[in-house]
Amino acid sequence: MIYHLITTPECNLCCEYCCGKAFDEPESNIKFESVPQKPTYSMDELNSFLARDEDKPVSIIFYGGEPLLNIEFIKKVMDSQSKYKTVKNWLIQTNGILLDKLPKEYVNKFHTILVSIDGGKEITNKNRGEGTWEKVTSNLNLIKTSGFRGEIIARMAIEEPANFYEDIMELINPKETGKNMPQGFKFASIHWQLDANMWHDYKKRDFTKWSIKYNKDISKLADYWVMEIKKGNLLRLYPFIGIINSLLFEKKYYLRCGSGISNFTILPNGKISACPIMSGIKEHYLGDIKTAKPKLLPFKLNIKEPCISCEEFELCGGRCLYSNIRPVWPKKGVIEVCESVKHLIREMKRISPVVEKALKDGKIKKQELEFLKYNCAEIIP
Ligand code: SF4
Ligand code: SF4
């Protein structure tokens, strides 16, 4: 199993699509309880819970807010492994600002670091604040030179008016944009997630028009991706490798973020939820680390219609458990999001023979398409 550990609900940035919305559009129909600013459970309580997991050693994803605002807790959890042997893989999802504050002996233990970034300098600083892009890219270069050998995944949150294709290219190949943009850090792994049907903001947005352009950009990116594959360069674009893997190797794959199945979140008060976004929603808590049995947690919350009877359920898996059980967009918006998922799947079916041939010709290897399942890259944007 994979567990998100929320080290603190606090954040040190105020990004446009997150904090801006929280102030402008407070969620009205969901009751949130506040959770403590720091974990209140002990290392014994945490590790006894993890030791009861029959799949141990498990994987831990440090998460927030901004997880690095509580570096002492991260160190304490990692240090506790000299006594308990419950964790195999360490991951972190961070905005990257404080990565230079975590000593390298801890950083270098991470299997994966997911860094929130929106594209190049201009768009990232516009959304996250002046100087963010410079600090984050400099920290990533620093950890590489300090010996980090794991995977760094750029994790983008996408919504209008983002120029999806251009923003991705600024991360992987700025020359492709035709602009004279600095790259800062060369990303080889990228995941993106649509900010859609998460907040009751559909009427204020122009998702209808934007999603048409987004779908065209997905096709353009798919063409670029296969062009690179033919040259032997496999870019780890998670939505692409996730679906291609299913098409070529493993067909069935229920809810690809794994939330509520193999992926759970431990809140600072020790309560367990299916995913980080459900923090503070008491009615969706699945248990408490003091008493819960990990094997009894899965499938307490399940994907419902319209996904179960959807023709793409096997490949999409239901996209997002949270949006499925608490849809906040009207039906029209939900259909538009699903259209984007179906377009992505169609495009992957279109290019999968080329990927298959590249595998047969030895241009790329099957292992390059593999990944640690439920590593915070939800696969379906
Ligand atoms: S495409 Fe939409 S309806 Fe179909 S499984 Fe995915 S989220 Fe559900
Ligand atoms: S995709 Fe999965 S992890 Fe992401 S918000 Fe939805 S349920 Fe949670």
Side-chain angles (χ1 to χ4, degrees):
M1 296 252 222
I2 286 206
Y3 296 96
H4 286 78
L5 285 195
I6 299 200
T7 73
T8 174
E10 286 186 324
C11 190
N12 51 351
L13 292 181
C14 191
C15 307
E16 283 274 318
Y17 48 79
C18 180
C19 145
K21 274 182 197 162
F23 290 126
D24 294 347
E25 306 245 343
E27 186 57 89
S28 56
N29 56 358
I30 301 178
K31 283 201 181 85
F32 288 93
E33 70 160 1
S34 62
V35 292
Q37 295 299 298
K38 288 182 175 172
T40 52
Y41 49 83
S42 68
M43 286 304 104
D44 274 348
E45 284 169 336
L46 173 67
N47 283 292
S48 313
F49 167 73
L50 300 178
R52 294 198 291 277
D53 191 322
E54 287 165 12
D55 290 340
K56 69 177 176 301
V58 304
S59 298
I60 292 286
I61 304 174
F62 293 109
Y63 201 89
E66 168 47 45
L68 290 168
L69 284 175
N70 194 356
I71 281 182
E72 285 315 306
F73 177 76
I74 293 174
K75 285 159 70 178
K76 209 160 117 184
V77 176
M78 290 173 103
D79 289 345
S80 75
Q81 289 304 298
S82 55
K83 179 173 169 195
Y84 308 96
K85 308 284 178 217
T86 50
V87 182
K88 183 178 176 197
N89 299 308
W90 302 104
L91 298 89
I92 188 166
Q93 157 115 26
T94 171
N95 60 33
I97 297 281
L98 297 171
L99 261 178
D100 55 336
K101 301 287 184 282
L102 185 66
K104 70 175 180 188
E105 57 269 31
Y106 294 93
V107 174
N108 291 348
K109 279 190 191 147
F110 283 121
H111 175 283
T112 304
I113 298 178
L114 295 109
V115 184
S116 310
I117 198 160
D118 304 312
K121 180 175 164 179
E122 207 175 297
I123 185 73
T124 300
N125 285 350
K126 180 179 170 287
N127 289 346
R128 294 168 182 271
E130 215 37 58
T132 304
W133 181 87
E134 290 85 341
K135 181 66 184 163
V136 173
T137 52
S138 133
N139 277 351
L140 293 176
N141 286 314
L142 175 77
I143 64 166
K144 284 290 243 186
T145 51
S146 302
F148 177 70
R149 296 288 171 266
E151 185 172 14
I152 293 174
I153 306 176
R155 198 182 183 295
M156 307 165 78
I158 304 284
E159 64 170 48
E160 60 278 22
N163 284 311
F164 174 68
Y165 184 79
E166 198 166 288
D167 294 341
I168 288 247
M169 283 303 150
E170 284 176 359
L171 294 173
I172 55 181
N173 183 7
K175 279 188 204 141
E176 182 75 11
T177 64
K179 289 190 202 163
N180 189 18
M181 296 288 287
Q183 189 164 20
F185 181 81
K186 198 169 168 54
F187 286 96
S189 301
I190 297 181
H191 178 58
W192 65 91
Q193 185 69 29
L194 290 180
D195 178 11
N197 198 15
M198 294 288 183
W199 206 255
H200 56 110
D201 56 356
Y202 182 74
K203 281 192 190 143
K204 287 197 169 184
R205 292 180 43 180
D206 193 8
F207 187 80
T208 311
K209 190 170 159 209
W210 180 84
S211 64
I212 295 167
K213 167 81 166 49
Y214 166 74
N215 289 341
K216 282 185 185 157
D217 279 356
I218 286 286
S219 305
K220 202 169 159 188
L221 186 62
D223 289 338
Y224 179 84
W225 194 59
V226 287
M227 190 180 78
E228 288 298 304
I229 285 176
K230 284 181 192 165
K231 290 189 229 159
N233 177 28
L234 187 116
L235 292 161
R236 289 173 68 79
L237 306 181
Y238 268 87
F240 288 7
I241 61 174
I243 298 172
I244 287 286
N245 242 313
S246 296
L247 289 169
L248 298 182
F249 308 115
E250 42 162 24
K251 295 280 181 239
K252 203 168 169 161
Y253 197 162
Y254 175 74
L255 193 59
R256 287 164 170 273
C257 62
S259 290
I261 305 162
S262 293
N263 191 348
F264 297 90
T265 296
I266 299 174
L267 309 181
N269 55 7
K271 302 289 180 205
I272 302 165
S273 70
C275 110
I277 208 171
M278 296 180 197
S279 299
I281 310 180
K282 273 166 105 174
E283 64 190 274
H284 292 328
Y285 288 169
L286 308 175
D288 189 301
I289 58 164
K290 290 191 187 100
T291 50
K293 292 190 177 126
K295 76 169 180 190
L296 298 182
L297 293 174
F299 298 106
K300 282 189 176 175
L301 279 179
N302 290 308
I303 287 281
K304 303 181 184 132
E305 292 294 4
C307 297
I308 310 293
S309 33
C310 171
E311 71 275 19
E312 295 298 358
F313 185 51
E314 279 211 347
L315 281 164
C316 169
R319 182 177 174 257
C320 169
L321 179 64
Y322 179 74
S323 312
N324 176 269
I325 60 176
R326 307 197 73 114
V328 281
W329 275 16
K331 201 171 170 192
K332 178 174 179 288
V334 174
I335 290 171
E336 285 163 5
V337 177
C338 291
E339 270 312 307
S340 79
V341 174
K342 289 174 185 171
H343 177 76
L344 170 66
I345 291 173
R346 271 195 304 274
E347 286 299 283
M348 292 304 103
K349 285 180 178 167
R350 171 176 72 84
I351 63 171
S352 71
V354 187
V355 182
E356 200 170 14
K357 183 166 185 317
L359 282 163
K360 271 193 195 131
D361 295 347
K363 293 245 167 73
I364 55 167
K365 297 193 181 73
K366 184 173 180 260
Q367 300 91 285
E368 292 178 77
L369 283 165
E370 289 167 359
F371 53 93
L372 177 71
K373 250 186 191 173
Y374 315 128
N375 62 356
C376 234
E378 299 102 325
I379 306 298
I380 299 297

